[in-house]
């Protein structure tokens, strides 16, 4: 399917098991009026693959707004793979992300996706920006993804190619490329952000960030690791 313009293109809410969303093109060559590309909530075993999501741009008022390429809200044993998500532009709201996996979930997998040019200029106090965003997940797998964030803003909760927000267990992140060259003004732009390192297994990744006084290669809570050597002292990314 080709979806040229709309508020939310594909949405499956409490939609049972085994749904497949495959080979759709979302967004036209010019900026499209889109807030969500694909959203799946309270489902089991969904497969989202080989979709192109691009040129998302919508101006929304209010603080409880989000702009997301692919969103999984609750549900287990779901797969997001082989998708391309690019050129997302947010000006307001609390979260902007290429791929969002949150609310709750077990054994969800995100692999071999390409996410780039995700941008937000929202300055509300809880705003954040992510290539891949995780929250409330148990045993998620994040493999072989390429994420490149660029541009600038001033998101108070910072930005990260892999952004782990809260309440996750046993995250397995390997063989990814996580690049973040954003300038978040006085806030932090990093390749990885996690609220705690104890929930994270990470190795064989390519990590890069734009060095300045505010940014970090990896940020764990309020602790910053500015070099790979510093980060490896924690036992993480030893082959990265």
């Amino acid at each position: 399917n080709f979806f040229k313009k709309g508020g939310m293109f594909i949405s499956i809410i409490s939609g049972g098991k085994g749904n497949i969303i495959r080979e759709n093109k979302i967004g036209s060559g010019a900026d499209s009026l889109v807030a969500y590309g694909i959203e799946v909530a309270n489902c089991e075993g969904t497969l989202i693959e080989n979709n192109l999501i691009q040129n998302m741009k919508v101006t929304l008022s209010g603080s409880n707004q989000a702009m997301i390429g692919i969103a999984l809200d609750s549900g287990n044993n779901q797969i997001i793979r082989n998708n391309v998500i690019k050129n997302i532009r947010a000006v307001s709201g609390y979260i902007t992300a290429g791929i969002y996996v949150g609310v709750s979930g077990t054994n969800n997998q995100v692999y071999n996706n390409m996410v780039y040019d995700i941008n937000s200029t929202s300055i509300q106090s809880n705003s954040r920006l992510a290539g891949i965003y995780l929250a409330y997940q148990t045993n998620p797998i994040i493999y072989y993804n390429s994420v490149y964030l660029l541009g600038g803003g001033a998101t108070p909760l910072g930005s990260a190619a892999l952004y782990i927000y809260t309440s996750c267990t046993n995250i397995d992140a390997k063989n990814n490329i996580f690049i973040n060259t954003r300038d978040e003004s006085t806030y932090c732009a990093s390749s990885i952000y996690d609220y705690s390192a104890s929930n994270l297994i990470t190795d064989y990744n390519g990590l890069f960030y734009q060095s300045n006084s505010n940014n970090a290669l990896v940020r764990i809570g309020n602790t910053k690791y500015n070099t790979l050597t510093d980060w490896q002292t924690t036992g993480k990314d030893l082959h990265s």
Side-chain angles (χ1 to χ4, degrees), residues 109-124:
Q109 302 179 42
V110 179
Y111 62 88
N112 203 41
N113 300 281
M114 181 183 294
V115 179
Y116 64 96
D117 198 11
I118 314 297
N119 196 32
S120 173
T121 55
S122 176
I123 58 172
Q124 72 181 55

Side-chain angles (χ1 to χ4, degrees), residues 2-240:
F2 171 44
F3 301 92
K4 183 176 182 180
K5 184 175 289 189
M8 180 184 293
F9 282 134
I10 299 174
S11 181
I12 301 176
I13 308 298
S14 299
K17 299 180 179 180
N19 297 300
I20 298 174
I21 303 172
R22 175 184 291 148
E23 295 182 2
N24 300 283
K25 182 179 179 181
I26 293 176
S28 66
D31 283 348
S32 299
L33 181 65
V34 187
Y36 277 71
I38 297 170
E39 181 187 30
V40 175
N42 301 308
C43 296
E44 300 288 324
T46 303
L47 174 61
I48 303 172
E49 68 175 357
N50 301 330
N51 300 283
L52 170 62
I53 301 171
Q54 62 181 346
N55 305 320
M56 293 172 56
K57 180 180 181 181
V58 62
T59 301
L60 299 170
S61 60
S63 61
N64 192 31
Q65 304 292 350
M67 188 171 293
I68 297 170
I70 297 175
L72 288 182
D73 292 321
S74 300
N76 308 316
N77 303 305
Q78 305 187 92
I79 295 173
I80 300 173
R81 69 184 180 195
N82 306 335
N83 302 282
V84 176
I85 303 166
K86 63 179 182 175
N87 190 18
I88 296 178
R89 296 289 182 270
V91 297
S92 62
Y94 74 101
I95 183 170
T96 305
I99 296 173
Y100 169 98
V101 184
V103 183
S104 66
T106 301
N107 299 329
N108 292 313
Q109 302 179 42
V110 179
Y111 62 88
N112 203 41
N113 300 281
M114 181 183 294
V115 179
Y116 64 96
D117 198 11
I118 314 297
N119 196 32
S120 173
T121 55
S122 176
I123 58 172
Q124 72 181 55
S125 61
N126 64 343
S127 66
R128 69 216 69 156
L129 184 143
I132 298 172
Y133 181 98
L134 301 177
Y136 304 99
Q137 295 298 301
T138 301
N139 302 327
I141 290 176
I142 314 296
Y143 285 176
Y144 296 105
N145 301 284
S146 296
V147 179
Y148 179 25
L149 303 182
L150 68 161
T155 53
L157 296 187
S159 64
L162 175 61
Y163 198 115
I164 302 159
Y165 180 60
T166 188
S167 302
C168 290
T169 303
N170 196 31
I171 302 159
D172 190 359
K174 295 189 179 76
N175 293 292
N176 302 282
I177 299 172
F178 291 141
I179 300 173
N180 188 358
T181 64
R182 284 177 59 81
D183 182 351
E184 296 292 357
S185 184
T186 59
Y187 306 108
C188 183
S190 58
S191 62
I192 297 174
Y193 166 75
D194 194 351
Y195 64 94
S196 170
S198 64
N199 60 10
L200 183 60
I201 302 168
T202 177
D203 208 352
Y204 299 99
N205 298 296
L207 309 177
F208 184 83
Y209 79 112
Q210 184 62 53
S211 178
N212 65 29
S213 60
N214 300 304
N215 294 343
L217 183 69
V218 177
R219 179 166 65 106
I220 304 296
N222 292 321
T223 301
K224 296 179 179 180
Y225 300 89
N226 292 326
T227 69
L228 181 60
T229 300
D230 290 343
W231 174 231
Q232 286 175 331
T233 62
T234 67
K236 311 293 185 180
D237 278 299
L238 297 180
H239 301 93
S240 295

